[in-house]
Amino acid sequence: DSPSEISNAIAHNKIQVGDLMYFDEDGDGIPNHATIISKINRDMIYYAAHTEPRGRQPLSYFLDGTPNHKAYIVILRDKVIVS
């Protein structure tokens, strides 16, 4: 939830642009919204969402100190090419 936790996740989990991020807004462990990671810098993850058009919204905007808000990141490592 904190900026240091976000920095730690970036440093230790090889999160990349294009990975999926799911939001759980009510803390029940079931994601309520899907986003795509659109930008990463040293201490922040940004996401793109369609409900309210956002191209580079910081993850801190969603977490915003609300105890029930959680983000789950799915790291995509393999590439599949279909032609």
Side-chain angles (χ1 to χ4, degrees), residues 14 16-20 74-82:
K14 299 181 181 177
Q16 299 179 10
V17 170
D19 287 343
L20 306 177
V74 176
I75 298 171
L76 304 175
R77 294 216 163 106
D78 296 327
K79 294 181 181 178
V80 176
I81 299 173
V82 179

Side-chain angles (χ1 to χ4, degrees), residues 8-39:
N8 190 39
I10 293 167
H12 293 91
N13 294 295
K14 299 181 181 177
I15 298 167
Q16 299 179 10
V17 170
D19 287 343
L20 306 177
M21 186 162 52
Y22 294 92
F23 293 156
D24 177 7
E25 299 173 322
D26 52 17
D28 65 357
I30 300 170
N32 309 99
H33 191 70
T35 66
I36 296 174
I37 295 175
S38 59
K39 178 183 173 184

